Amino acid sequence: MLGKALLRVGINDRAQVRCFSQLHSALLDRVAQFPAKDVLRVSSQGIRWNIAQLNQHSEAFAKGLVALGFDGSTGGILSALKPSGEHVAVTIGSNYAGVDAAVVDSGEIKDAKILKKLLSETNCRGLIVSGADVKTVYEAIPELKQQPKVMTETLSLSEFPSLKYVVQTGYETQIGMHRFKDIMCYHSLVPLPVEKNAGSLTIIDASNGTLKNTLTEADLLAKSQEAPISTDEKVVLAKDEAVAATFASVACALNLAKLVVPTQEKDTHDLELEEGANLKSFAI
């Protein structure tokens, strides 16, 4: 499980790290000052990450993208996950790697037709989905079942020629797909790029599956700074949506606040009463 993965490298020495990503640089500054500061809790996964762990998992995803050949010019990723540790690592890690990311909530790709439309519109190189959505992916991309069960090469699909990797967060190995945990790279000797543009973030309109808004890194940082969040505040995500969690996770990390992703509405209510948390909605 991602939430229980052992951190195999130490906290980065900020003075020795060069970053093209302003977000990465800002989070490393906070890691250096407050490494044990809790910034994320995902009830359904048992995740409780401090800012050093959040940065570490995000770096591991970024290094995994680099190892797979993503360099910002070869195409981006389409992420269709629920609010989760994996979602946060993907959102922040893609920025670190200089890879553009399009985000849609996994609940909106239950229809294979919508997923096919999104794959065509984003022209993505990588697709990241929940293990629960594997069936929908096979319906949208029947060619996947003709691929090897253990992937050692990139995909070659006639309908989606730009799509080279499908990654799913489940435990079981699936034909034509990589497991999320297998692409995470925690090796301290694997470098991150230092001379690139930071990845942009595209939000997908959940109501009709069309591209809604694209944010540059500067846009994302500005919105995070404008967010009504105080240091040490405990913020409960009001909507169980990946799009909301995308902005909330960045805003809370930069402001050293703790984001809580509750399991269900009852958890949300209990957290407000018992822990004095503030219920907030986030929109981009």
Side-chain angles (χ1 to χ4, degrees):
M1 175 182 287
L2 180 60
K4 296 182 179 179
L6 294 176
L7 297 181
R8 282 165 270 177
V9 291
I11 296 170
N12 288 302
D13 180 351
R14 182 65 185 91
Q16 297 179 6
V17 178
R18 292 178 57 206
C19 304
F20 69 90
S21 163
Q22 294 181 52
L23 175 58
H24 194 188
S25 181
L27 289 182
L28 283 176
D29 283 339
R30 286 153 179 76
V31 168
Q33 297 177 63
F34 310 98
K37 182 69 178 177
D38 288 338
V39 293
L40 180 67
R41 170 181 164 187
V42 184
S43 301
S44 63
Q45 294 180 296
I47 283 178
R48 292 175 181 267
W49 286 352
N50 58 41
I51 195 163
Q53 291 170 317
L54 180 144
N55 178 68
Q56 200 76 287
H57 290 305
S58 299
E59 285 188 351
F61 179 75
K63 291 178 179 180
L65 286 182
V66 173
L68 291 176
F70 287 80
D71 65 5
S73 63
T74 56
I77 60 172
L78 171 61
S79 175
L81 299 171
K82 283 286 187 184
S84 58
E86 291 90 347
H87 173 73
V88 172
V90 167
T91 299
I92 297 177
S94 58
N95 168 278
Y96 287 6
V99 175
D100 295 338
V103 177
V104 65
D105 190 88
S106 66
E108 303 303 323
I109 64 161
K110 300 301 181 185
D111 186 335
K113 292 181 180 179
I114 291 180
L115 179 55
K116 288 174 73 76
K117 178 180 179 182
L118 292 176
L119 288 171
S120 297
E121 290 190 358
T122 59
N123 201 35
C124 60
R125 178 180 172 83
L127 170 65
I128 302 174
V129 298
S130 165
D133 292 323
V134 166
K135 180 179 178 181
T136 303
V137 175
Y138 283 139
E139 291 175 357
I141 318 172
E143 286 180 86
L144 270 183
K145 288 200 171 183
Q146 301 170 16
Q147 305 294 317
K149 186 167 186 178
V150 178
M151 294 297 298
T152 58
E153 298 181 359
T154 58
L155 293 171
S156 179
L157 306 172
S158 59
E159 187 172 5
F160 302 104
S162 65
L163 185 62
K164 300 302 180 184
Y165 296 96
V166 176
V167 179
Q168 55 89 20
T169 61
Y171 289 105
E172 299 296 326
T173 301
Q174 303 291 342
I175 296 173
M177 303 184 190
H178 293 270
R179 294 187 303 176
F180 188 90
K181 68 177 185 177
D182 292 336
I183 72 167
M184 298 288 279
C185 178
Y186 292 92
H187 203 295
S188 60
L189 297 181
V190 177
L192 283 171
V194 295
E195 295 181 357
K196 287 187 178 181
N197 294 320
S200 65
L201 187 65
T202 298
I203 304 305
I204 295 176
D205 191 335
S207 63
N208 56 20
T210 58
L211 307 187
K212 178 182 180 182
N213 189 18
T214 297
L215 301 178
T216 64
E217 180 184 53
D219 295 332
L220 184 60
L221 291 173
K223 284 183 173 290
S224 298
Q225 293 170 352
E226 296 167 0
I229 299 173
S230 303
T231 300
D232 296 327
E233 187 173 2
K234 188 171 293 180
V235 178
V236 181
L237 193 66
K239 290 185 177 181
D240 184 27
E241 296 177 353
V243 170
T246 296
F247 173 50
S249 60
V250 173
C252 286
L254 288 175
N255 288 288
L256 294 175
K258 182 177 181 179
L259 175 65
V260 179
V261 180
T263 303
Q264 54 189 5
E265 290 184 6
K266 181 178 183 301
D267 286 352
T268 302
H269 178 69
D270 290 347
L271 282 164
E272 282 189 284
L273 294 179
E274 297 176 12
E275 300 184 16
N278 294 317
L279 182 70
K280 293 192 177 183
S281 297
F282 292 85
I284 298 181

